[in-house]
Amino acid sequence: MHDGYMGFYYAVPISLMVYAGLVISDRTKDVDSLEPKYELLLIISGFYVIIAVLSSMMFICWYALDIDMGFDYRYFTYGLLGVIAAFILAYASLMTKMKKRRLTSFRKKLEQNYINSGLGEEQAVGYKKQIKWYFESTECFLRADLSLEILSKELQISKHYLSEIFNIHIGKSFYSFIAEYRITYAIERLKNEGGRLKIESLAHECGFNSKTSFNRYFKEITGFNPSEYISNRILDKESIELVGT
């Protein structure tokens, strides 16, 4: 029983090292576009490495060399892991609150900008329907040069009104709105082709001017980068369907 527990205990630093290694390897591939939350993940992974090394040293001293320092080494390791877990929870809670405050503040500023616009609610609803119809019937979002000014001329809606409709009534920026249509289109293309498309070519086909921009919006909207999406959502689904046939 004791040996089994010690074996389980030693699995803790091993699992920490493996996890930290995978995270560091994955998140350092594109350091230039690293988001703050992933910077935090790298820092935590570094702490995991330190805990794993300390745990291993303590395990050797306690179990192999039979050195007694007057306290249970296991509780030290578990205590450090508990502190990190509490830190992660506190950080997540703080970031959620800060994000809500920023969104509320940003929305109030936007509303102040349009307070004297003269755009009525009924008129705004009509414009929203017109925009949606235009995007879906013409696939204008595939145009790399599409801008608020061009859309204003095409729909004969003032640029100021369009800006208000997107930011206030739709709740998204013009470019975020376009990006959602483009990424939806990209996903359909990937599904239809079984993931057998070059990412850079697909990015330009969808209207993005760069692969980097495409990857960023794809990650924001789906939670995966394009390669991960192909592997996790398309190729895995195909393999499951093949097994079921």
Side-chain angles (χ1 to χ4, degrees):
M1 180 72 175
H2 180 72
D3 290 339
Y5 180 79
M6 292 310 301
F8 170 77
Y9 173 78
Y10 197 59
V12 172
I14 293 176
S15 62
L16 290 176
M17 288 292 287
V18 171
Y19 172 79
L22 290 173
V23 169
I24 293 171
S25 173
D26 180 61
R27 296 304 170 187
T28 52
K29 290 177 182 177
D30 189 8
V31 179
D32 294 333
S33 60
L34 199 64
E35 298 177 26
K37 61 182 178 181
Y38 295 127
E39 291 179 3
L40 175 67
L41 192 59
L42 285 174
I43 293 171
I44 292 172
S45 297
F47 279 119
Y48 281 169
V49 172
I50 295 172
I51 293 173
V53 171
L54 289 174
S55 300
S56 299
M57 293 173 62
M58 291 177 177
F59 179 84
I60 293 170
C61 291
W62 180 33
Y63 191 65
L65 303 178
D66 198 24
I67 298 175
D68 186 7
M69 296 182 65
F71 63 92
D72 194 327
Y73 307 112
R74 294 168 296 185
Y75 297 143
F76 178 80
T77 302
Y78 300 150
L80 287 176
L81 290 173
V83 169
I84 291 179
F87 173 74
I88 294 172
L89 291 173
Y91 176 84
S93 176
L94 178 63
M95 288 299 101
T96 301
K97 290 179 181 178
M98 288 180 65
K99 186 176 181 180
K100 287 181 179 178
R101 288 175 184 173
R102 284 197 296 266
L103 287 173
T104 302
S105 176
F106 179 69
R107 190 169 181 82
K108 284 182 179 179
K109 288 179 180 178
L110 284 176
E111 289 173 349
Q112 286 296 321
N113 291 336
Y114 303 117
I115 195 167
N116 297 317
S117 73
L119 178 65
E121 186 67 30
E122 187 175 341
Q123 190 178 14
V125 171
Y127 284 158
K128 280 171 63 177
K129 290 179 179 178
Q130 188 178 352
I131 291 168
K132 185 177 180 181
W133 172 85
Y134 185 73
F135 267 67
E136 294 177 357
S137 64
T138 67
E139 294 189 334
C140 62
F141 53 87
L142 298 179
R143 293 175 54 180
D145 65 338
L146 184 62
S147 65
L148 201 63
E149 186 174 354
I150 290 174
L151 188 63
S152 173
K153 291 178 180 178
E154 294 286 340
L155 297 179
Q156 297 186 343
I157 301 173
S158 77
K159 188 177 175 181
H160 185 77
Y161 277 2
L162 277 180
S163 176
E164 180 178 354
I165 290 164
F166 282 112
N167 291 318
I168 301 298
H169 298 278
I170 295 178
K172 298 169 187 172
S173 70
F174 171 67
Y175 290 104
S176 294
F177 184 81
I178 293 175
E180 287 190 5
Y181 272 90
R182 288 173 174 172
I183 297 305
T184 299
Y185 176 87
I187 290 171
E188 287 302 314
R189 290 282 288 121
L190 287 170
K191 287 179 179 178
N192 293 337
E193 298 297 328
R196 293 179 292 273
L197 289 171
K198 289 186 177 180
I199 301 302
E200 190 165 2
S201 298
L202 179 61
H204 289 293
E205 180 184 339
C206 293
F208 289 100
N209 290 316
S210 69
K211 181 181 174 182
T212 302
S213 179
F214 174 71
N215 287 344
R216 178 167 62 84
Y217 278 113
F218 200 100
K219 179 83 172 180
E220 283 182 10
I221 293 169
T222 68
F224 299 95
N225 63 44
S227 299
E228 290 172 341
Y229 189 89
I230 292 170
S231 176
N232 296 334
R233 294 295 182 89
I234 296 177
L235 297 183
D236 282 357
K237 184 178 179 181
E238 285 187 354
S239 64
I240 290 171
E241 288 176 350
L242 286 172
V243 170
T245 57

